[in-house]
Every structure is written in C-alpha cells, then in structure tokens.
Amino acid sequence: MFTLSEENYLKTIYHLGLNSEIGVSTNEIAKKMQTKASSVTDMIKKLSDKNLVVYKKYKGVRITDFGRNTAANIVRKHRLWEVFLVEKLNFSWDEVHEVAEQLEHIKSPKLINELDALLGFPKQDPHGDPIPDKEGNYYPLEKKLLATLGIGEKGICVGVNDSSSSFLQFLDKQKIALGNEIKVLGKEPFDDSIQIQIANRELSISNKIANNLYIKILQGS
Amino acid sequence: MFTLSEENYLKTIYHLGLNSEIGVSTNEIAKKMQTKASSVTDMIKKLSDKNLVVYKKYKGVRITDFGRNTAANIVRKHRLWEVFLVEKLNFSWDEVHEVAEQLEHIKSPKLINELDALLGFPKQDPHGDPIPDKEGNYYPLEKKLLATLGIGEKGICVGVNDSSSSFLQFLDKQKIALGNEIKVLGKEPFDDSIQIQIANRELSISNKIANNLYIKILQGS
DNA sequence: TTATTATTTTAGATAAGACTAAAAATTAAT
DNA sequence: ATTAATTTTTAGTCTTATCTAAAATAATAA
Ligand SMILES: [Mn+2]
Ligand SMILES: [Mn+2]
Ligand SMILES: [Mn+2]
Ligand SMILES: [Mn+2]
C-alpha cells in the first residue's frame, strides 16, 4: 500500500504525463503540487523504489504500467465520489473536488465497487471527465473546445477544461450546464469572443471561457 | 484542525473515559491503541496544548468539553458511515468497522450532514450504538446485558458489546439479529449458560455470548 | 515504614515528508 | 565553444509520530 503523499504525487505525475511522450519534469510536478523541486526529487526516488515510476537523474520521470494502473484507480475513486456527492448528497459541481481529494485515498475495493453500482456505473464525473473502470481503462468522449468550432457548428456541452470553483460558478450563473446544446452564431475577430445560442438564449462568451468548455459535435451541423 | 493521530488518540480517550469519574491512564490508552506508553505521553502533551484534554503528570488525562465535543463528532461520523455502508452499499455489520475507521477522518461538515439526511437521521449504528447529533448529544437506549436477565424476562435485542468480526459472524450464523425478540427460558448454574427462545426457535447460549448482547426489556414480561 | 514492583515520564534515535541553501548538470545564448 | 541561465540534485535542518532504554514517581507489600 502507498502513503497519502505517494498517492498524491503519483496522481499528479499520471495527469501530467497523459498527453506527452517524454518524461515529466521535476519542476512541472513541483509547480502542480505547490511544493519545492527538492521535495519532488526525494519523493520520486521513493516512487521509483516502489516501481511506480522510472526515474533517471536530470531526465524526469515516466510512469510504469503498474504506476498507471495504481493512479487510474485513484482517479476512479476521485470521480466516483464526485458523482456520489452531486447525485446523492446535493453538492454542486463546484463543491466536490476538495472532498473528493480526501475520499480518493480510502482503501476498500468493496466500497468503491459498491459505490459504482449504487450510482449506476456512471461513465463521466460531474465535470465531464471519464471514470476509469476496475482495470483502469476508460473511453474519453470525442470532444472539442468551444473556441475551435466554426460558425454554424453545434454540439452538446460535455465537459470543462478548468474545474475551478470560480469558472464553474460562472457557468452556473450564465445557466450553462453539461448536456446543453450550443450553436456558434458568430465569432468576433477583435477580441476572439464567440456568440452562441444556448437553450433559446443568445450569449456572447469570451475567448477564455470558450477555451475551457468542451463540446461534442452533433453530426450534420 | 487535528491530525489523524490526534483524532485517534482523542477518540480512544473519549471512549475510555465514558464510564469513569477519574482520569484515563497512560497505560490504558497505550493498550487500547496498541502503542507504547512513551508514545502516549508525547501525544497527550500535544492534546493538552490544544485544550482537548487536561493533563497532570502521573495523574492521567481527562477530556475537556471541547475535546468531548470534538470526539463525539468523530464518533458521529464513524457511526453514520457504518450505517451508510450497511444500508446503501450492502456491507454486512462485521465488515464496516475498518472502513469507517478511515472515513471518520474526512473533513466536511456538509458531507456528514447530507449523509445523515440521506440515511433518514438514524439514531443507532448497525451495532446498536447511539449516533451523536451535530451538537454531540445522544440518547443511549435503556438496555441490559442478556446475561443479567431473569428467567421469564423478555426483550428486544438492541445491541452488541463486542463488535469483533468473529462475534458478529457467530450471531449471523445463529440467526440472532438486532430487532429480534428474545425470551429467557432457563439458566444453567453449572456453566452459566442460558436457554432462550428467539423467533420460534430454542437455543442454548454460553455465558460469554450472553455477556455481549444487549437487550431492551419489554414492559410487563 | 521501608523495600519492591508497577507505572509513567524523559532522553535519545529513527523514518517520512517537508524546507533552505548550495552544488552539479543541463540547456540556452552569445 | 564558452559563458550564462535554468533546472535538478544533494546536504543539512525541522516537525510529527514512532520506538527503546533509562530515570522518576506512585502504588503495593513486607
Ligand atoms: Mn476533482
Ligand atoms: Mn471532476
Ligand atoms: Mn465501528
Ligand atoms: Mn459501530
């Protein structure tokens, strides 16, 4: 079994390494974990001793198959708990992350598999992120950032890139929710803002917002 | 906020001090926590610094009002999680304790109060132990050990004194469950065993068993 | 009451996880 | 190809929570 710290480092390395071929750098990890590079070096030695990552001095770390599996299981727990909090305990999607950060470290395979069943084996968490199965496999939706859509294209809002409270609360305020259909009406070159239609309303959205909303394109739009 | 260790020590001191006027001794705590007396001394100094207990050298510790409240809240969480595991996640009553030991340390007032609501504000956990409310108050049932009942007395089985897996599994095997009506048919002086009637069956029960089952007496029996 | 035993505390060590400051290696710039 | 800047590692310190061994205190017995 792994310590709380080991699990948190491993999860960070897993996320940082997802979309890159090369190793994850010490500084990247330190920045993400709000800690110092020297602390990271200490920890990756421990993770390496436990075969969770491959570490070569000055070359960053790469997660092993074993490490990836272990990390995916923690992510699975995190996201299932987030669903539970929203579906069963009336949390809003901007309140769940901190609590899930604690709950993801609870050790009990039965607990998490029963929770999965209670929730009806959900495939996405409240932010649209995929939930790995017991084997650590998951199937990400095909999705594009709203900012990349052309005029006239439409789709369903299926996820967020930024899960910060402030962004999620902004979406709530603008009544933009996952599942909503969104159509691009126009794009303003001057500030890269985007005019959209959503649930019979028209809205102008800044580029920053559009770069943090994922859309599943509807065929024939 | 308190560390995991601080919470565990405090909870032990709370439980050990419940039925006694005098302070809780260092050795008692060490025995219960499976640690060394010197470790206990170190920790009670920390708890004392945080006003959770009053500590006088060589005189043991007494929990403060603040400490009692803090401990009751941890116990509240432990027992609510046990109910959740049994009621919602198909755990049996002998499987819940270890997981609840982890879950009781999760910090989120909203989580625990919503969980309470989801479960319908239960008053007892799966072992018949009372669940403190938000203020730390609880109302223990009037109950007696089965071993203390006289011949002819009857009552409802409402709790266990020993929550070990082996005892709980024994009760399952004998089909003795909380809520069952039990009547004392006879007592054997030779080995202090007790003959009981339970759900139309007659059973002979050892003194050890009878000393770990709590009964709520039915008036007029 | 004094001696013996048991309990409790202190002193000193260890391990995990964090930090600062300094050294070493790598990368970027001239 | 050197030099300069950046990144990464090492060395040493700190805190928390443990432990063992020894000293101090309290409880018990002779
Ligand atoms: Mn999250
Ligand atoms: Mn999420
Ligand atoms: Mn329990
Ligand atoms: Mn219980």
Side-chain angles (χ1 to χ4, degrees), chain B:
Chain B
M1 251 346 94
F2 307 107
T3 68
L4 186 79
S5 262
E6 287 168 346
E7 290 194 348
N8 282 332
Y9 274 96
L10 183 67
K11 193 166 51 113
T12 297
I13 293 167
Y14 169 78
H15 281 131
L16 289 175
L18 270 183
N19 302 307
S20 87
E21 302 300 304
I22 59 168
V24 181
S25 81
T26 303
N27 258 4
E28 259 184 293
I29 299 167
K31 192 175 179 185
K32 195 68 157 244
M33 302 215 40
Q34 315 221 68
T35 184
K36 298 297 149 91
S38 56
S39 305
V40 174
T41 302
D42 283 346
M43 181 54 81
I44 59 189
K45 286 176 184 168
K46 290 173 197 161
L47 297 182
S48 176
D49 288 344
K50 298 190 176 187
N51 298 310
L52 294 164
V53 301
V54 176
Y55 168 53
K56 283 201 199 99
K57 268 193 197 178
Y58 294 99
K59 298 294 180 185
V61 287
R62 305 199 60 166
I63 202 161
T64 62
D65 285 349
F66 173 52
R68 190 171 7 256
N69 220 279
T70 304
N73 194 254
I74 301 169
V75 170
R76 167 173 162 79
K77 291 192 280 181
H78 182 104
R79 292 179 179 165
L80 281 173
W81 280 116
E82 287 191 343
V83 174
F84 171 73
L85 294 172
V86 166
E87 297 293 318
K88 302 291 182 183
L89 297 192
N90 305 306
F91 277 62
S92 55
W93 67 343
D94 62 292
E95 295 177 310
V96 297
H97 184 74
E98 282 200 19
V99 185
E101 283 292 311
Q102 299 177 60
L103 287 163
E104 71 187 3
H105 302 289
I106 302 292
K107 269 94 176 166
S108 166
K110 172 159 183 160
L111 170 62
I112 205 64
N113 291 327
E114 290 285 345
L115 187 66
D116 197 11
L118 176 73
L119 300 171
F121 306 102
K123 295 282 169 289
Q124 275 86 36
D125 82 359
H127 314 104
D129 293 312
I131 299 174
D133 65 21
K134 290 180 209 181
E135 281 72 43
N137 305 308
Y138 63 89
Y139 312 95
L141 290 178
E142 266 190 57
K143 61 191 179 186
K144 298 171 68 175
L145 286 175
L146 175 53
T148 67
L149 300 210
I151 294 173
E153 277 194 289
K154 63 182 172 188
I156 307 287
C157 185
V158 293
V160 294
N161 188 31
D162 171 5
S163 283
S164 70
S165 274
S166 52
F167 181 56
L168 298 177
Q169 283 172 14
F170 169 85
L171 294 178
D172 286 344
K173 205 164 56 187
Q174 299 291 326
K175 300 221 191 309
I176 299 172
L178 301 196
N180 287 163
E181 188 174 317
I182 289 181
K183 181 177 182 180
V184 176
L185 300 177
K187 305 180 85 166
E188 175 54 53
F190 178 68
D191 63 355
D192 290 319
S193 67
I194 300 184
Q195 284 70 54
I196 62 169
Q197 183 173 62
I198 175 171
N200 300 324
R201 288 173 299 126
E202 289 191 16
L203 246 127
S204 179
I205 275 182
S206 74
N207 182 262
K208 184 170 180 187
I209 302 298
N211 262 307
N212 282 299
L213 259 185
Y214 283 116
I215 306 296
K216 186 175 86 183
I217 302 298
L218 285 177
Q219 295 308 328
S221 71

Side-chain angles (χ1 to χ4, degrees), chain A residues 78 82 97 127:
Chain A
H78 182 104
E82 287 191 342
H97 184 74
H127 313 104

